[in-house]
Amino acid sequence: MMVKQITSTLISLALALPLLAQDDLLAGLEAEQADQKTLVDATFKGTRLINGHSIETRKQGVMDFIIAHRFGTIDGGAYELFGLDNALVRIGLEYALNDRLYAGAGRSSFEKTYDGFVKYRLLRQSTGKGSVPLSATWLSSMALKTLKDPTYDLQFTDKLAFTHQLLLARKFNNGLSLQLMPTWVHRNLIGETDLNNDILALGMGGRIKLSQRVALCAEYYYQFQHLNENTQNALAIGVDIETGGHVFQLQFTNATSMVPKGFVSETTNDFFKGEIHFGFNVSRTFQLN
Amino acid sequence: MKREILTIILGLITAGLAMAQGPMVDRSGTATFFSEAPLENIEATNKEVLGAIDLEKGTLAVSMLMKGFHFDKSLMEEHFNENYVESDKFPRATFKGVISNFAALDFSKSGSFEAEADGEIEIHGVKKPLKTAVKFDVSAKDLKATTSFNLAVADFDIEIPTIVFKNIAEVVEVKAFFNFSRPK
């Protein structure tokens, strides 16, 4: 009993002591803050790594308007101005319902595709007490191809494809962030020459900051199964430039499609034969509330 | 059980007494900064500022986490931390100083008076001397301190790129408020 009393008195005293013992007022205050848990933010500049999503979502009440272009392949040469004669566009609108839940929809001119996605931040990298070493975000995306096909009478559900991804990322320091993306693509209907309804892929990518506002990014999706004999793994190399409320992303990629099921499993260009699209994403952010 | 509670209370009283001789601390002080520029005004508030004042020695200290600053636009907050003050590398801003006219002041009587704080401010890893007027409001139950001063962003190695030059002022107005409650 006695021991207990002495201990609790000592503990109370010890709690009162730190500030007393500090000759230096400031050192005392800093010691109080040292263990505070803080979230690591800005692992990537935008909600897209290049073609695919990054772990980033926007903060509650933010609306993002994204215009993305992919030009024709640069091997068309000067006659097609290295692909610029031929542009595909995706227009998208996205909104952050809260700091973790993010949803958006878009429409691509390529195959007249509508797409929608939901993203949820499962884990957020943090420092300090009870810190989490990495960020994890779940992405589910749906795509509806509406390009008319006169040879088949397709039902609505036949035109749907789904992509689910677990995005795992870590910001190692201010300059380096890496991301892994285990990916599952499922399409309800496949063509005559296609092999698999389901395709598993592993994406990997990252960014290196060249300055406070400019970053170099790379992204690669390795497929464990292929849709058919012509598909290639998607590779992209890009530069992010940030100016206030805008993020400009310039990229070189062999992928034509700008929706997940497309660039992961339908890419047919060979990057190393020069079948590369130049393209850009421009994101403009609005704070709605 | 009763005895244990008694000892804890006793311990707390001892702690309280000990505090009375030590510094007074406010853990929820407020700091704001305001930037007035041609394109947009930017205001941010931090309500988790730690402040301490030692009325025996006349010393002051302030420490705040940069990530504690909140902006109207969340993207501004991200840019502030990521591009300007580099919060990962330099997590906090601090001030450490003395009340230079301390001997002439009486903190035991209720009333308002001005004092001068003289010390060193550190932001973004850069230390600069800072002299600022502090208004004290003394009452039986608490001690309030208010101050306001201007800081040149460039003094702290914080670069503003030309592309956002019209969005961010070169000199920002900083205000801070503390309410130190007297130990009972």
Side-chain angles (χ1 to χ4, degrees), chain A residues 25-26 29 32-33, chain B residues 23-32 45-55 59-65 69 93-97 99 107 111-113 117 121 130 132-139 141-149 174-182:
Chain A
L25 273 184
L26 185 56
L29 295 183
E32 277 197 33
Q33 281 167 333
Chain B
M24 292 161 78
V25 178
D26 180 7
R27 287 175 177 79
S28 53
T30 306
T32 62
T45 307
N46 187 336
K47 289 181 179 165
E48 300 155 341
V49 179
L50 295 187
I53 181 166
D54 188 328
L55 290 182
T59 53
L60 297 167
V62 175
S63 181
M64 65 190 86
L65 293 176
F69 277 102
T94 59
F95 174 79
K96 182 179 157 179
I99 302 168
F107 281 91
S112 294
F113 53 83
I121 189 165
L130 177 76
T132 177
V134 183
K135 187 174 170 255
F136 284 104
D137 285 302
V138 183
S139 74
K141 68 178 203 306
D142 58 28
L143 170 65
K144 293 186 174 77
T146 315
T147 185
S148 154
F149 50 89
V174 181
K175 286 180 183 164
F177 172 76
F178 295 97
N179 189 358
F180 303 101
S181 46
R182 291 195 185 274

Side-chain angles (χ1 to χ4, degrees), chain B residues 64-114:
Chain B
M64 65 190 86
L65 293 176
M66 297 316 259
K67 286 200 173 167
F69 277 102
H70 296 298
F71 295 67
D72 286 343
K73 293 184 180 173
S74 60
L75 208 61
M76 278 181 182
E77 197 168 311
E78 188 178 309
H79 293 161
F80 171 76
N81 286 305
E82 173 87 352
N83 298 342
Y84 297 101
V85 297
E86 300 175 271
S87 304
D88 288 341
K89 236 191 278 178
F90 310 107
R92 54 173 70 87
T94 59
F95 174 79
K96 182 179 157 179
V98 295
I99 302 168
S100 49
N101 55 341
F102 184 63
L105 305 173
D106 185 355
F107 281 91
S108 60
K109 267 190 261 168
S110 292
S112 294
F113 53 83
E114 283 234 329

Side-chain angles (χ1 to χ4, degrees), chain A residues 71 112 135 152 155 171 201 226-227 238:
Chain A
F71 295 102
K112 303 194 189 298
S135 292
Y152 300 101
Q155 303 295 308
K171 186 179 189 178
H226 285 260
L227 181 63

Side-chain angles (χ1 to χ4, degrees), chain A residues 45-206:
Chain A
K45 291 209 183 289
T47 55
R48 303 303 196 283
L49 188 50
I50 300 179
N51 286 313
H53 281 263
S54 71
I55 51 112
E56 297 289 349
T57 57
R58 297 295 188 197
K59 296 272 167 58
Q60 179 167 2
V62 171
M63 190 180 75
D64 225 12
F65 180 57
I66 296 188
I67 300 181
H69 271 83
R70 297 291 181 275
F71 295 102
T73 54
I74 58 177
D75 61 357
Y79 179 67
E80 288 181 359
L81 199 59
F82 306 97
L84 294 188
D85 284 355
N86 195 357
L88 297 166
V89 63
R90 179 182 178 275
I91 297 174
L93 203 57
E94 306 174 354
Y95 182 71
L97 285 95
N98 60 43
D99 287 357
R100 286 174 182 266
L101 184 61
Y102 192 61
R107 201 275 188 183
S108 306
S109 61
F110 180 62
E111 295 183 335
K112 303 194 189 298
T113 303
Y114 290 85
D115 69 283
F117 72 84
V118 177
K119 226 168 153 178
Y120 188 78
R121 299 197 74 153
L122 302 163
L123 281 179
R124 289 185 285 181
Q125 190 185 339
S126 57
T127 58
K129 211 174 181 182
S131 67
V132 180
L134 52 79
S135 292
T137 298
W138 182 265
L139 171 85
S140 283
S141 154
M142 188 174 87
L144 174 72
K145 178 175 159 182
T146 67
L147 187 71
K148 284 180 183 152
D149 188 339
T151 50
Y152 300 101
D153 180 24
L154 295 178
Q155 303 295 308
F156 175 79
T157 50
D158 295 338
K159 300 173 186 172
L160 288 174
F162 303 86
T163 309
H164 304 284
Q165 286 190 302
L166 179 63
L167 309 168
L168 300 165
R170 179 168 161 83
K171 186 179 189 178
F172 288 90
N173 53 49
N174 195 42
L176 178 71
S177 302
L178 295 178
Q179 183 171 291
L180 270 183
M181 307 79 100
T183 304
W184 169 37
V185 179
H186 172 84
R187 67 197 73 230
N188 284 352
L189 189 73
I190 51 175
E192 282 161 16
T193 57
D194 295 340
L195 305 166
N196 297 299
N197 283 84
D198 294 280
I199 286 159
L200 293 177
L202 180 65
M204 52 208 97

Side-chain angles (χ1 to χ4, degrees), chain A residues 220-232:
Chain A
Y220 181 70
Y221 278 93
Y222 176 80
Q223 300 171 79
F224 295 100
Q225 295 99 4
H226 285 260
L227 181 63
N228 55 49
E229 285 169 359
N230 298 322
T231 60
Q232 300 276 337

Side-chain angles (χ1 to χ4, degrees), chain A residues 1-2 4-6 8-9 12-13 15-16 19-20 22-26 28-34 36 38-45 56-60 62 171 173-174 207 209 212-213 242-246 285 287 289, chain B residues 1 3-4 7-8 10-12 14-16 18-19 21-23 25 27 48 50-54 57 59-65 67 72-75 77-79 81-84 86 88-89 92 94-96 159 161 163-164:
Chain A
M1 208 57 196
M2 198 60 194
K4 256 195 190 171
Q5 284 175 27
I6 292 169
S8 55
T9 316
S12 312
L13 273 175
L15 285 174
L19 270 175
L20 267 184
Q22 289 296 348
D23 257 356
D24 188 343
L25 273 184
L26 185 56
L29 295 183
E30 287 186 350
E32 277 197 33
Q33 281 167 333
Q36 203 162 319
T38 44
L39 292 175
V40 170
D41 49 26
T43 304
F44 295 101
K45 291 209 183 289
E56 297 289 349
T57 57
R58 297 295 188 197
K59 296 272 167 58
Q60 179 167 2
V62 171
K171 186 179 189 178
N173 53 49
N174 195 42
R207 77 151 191 211
K209 271 173 86 171
Q212 286 302 16
R213 278 157 205 87
E242 180 191 292
T243 64
H246 297 274
T285 299
Q287 184 89 35
N289 55 45
Chain B
M1 193 60 198
R3 262 204 225 159
E4 279 171 49
T7 39
I8 288 168
L10 197 76
L12 283 174
T14 330
M19 293 291 277
Q21 274 121 46
V25 178
R27 287 175 177 79
E48 300 155 341
L50 295 187
I53 181 166
D54 188 328
K57 297 175 192 152
T59 53
L60 297 167
V62 175
S63 181
M64 65 190 86
L65 293 176
K67 286 200 173 167
D72 286 343
K73 293 184 180 173
S74 60
L75 208 61
E77 197 168 311
E78 188 178 309
H79 293 161
N81 286 305
E82 173 87 352
N83 298 342
Y84 297 101
E86 300 175 271
D88 288 341
K89 236 191 278 178
R92 54 173 70 87
T94 59
F95 174 79
K96 182 179 157 179
E159 275 176 60
I163 198 159
V164 290

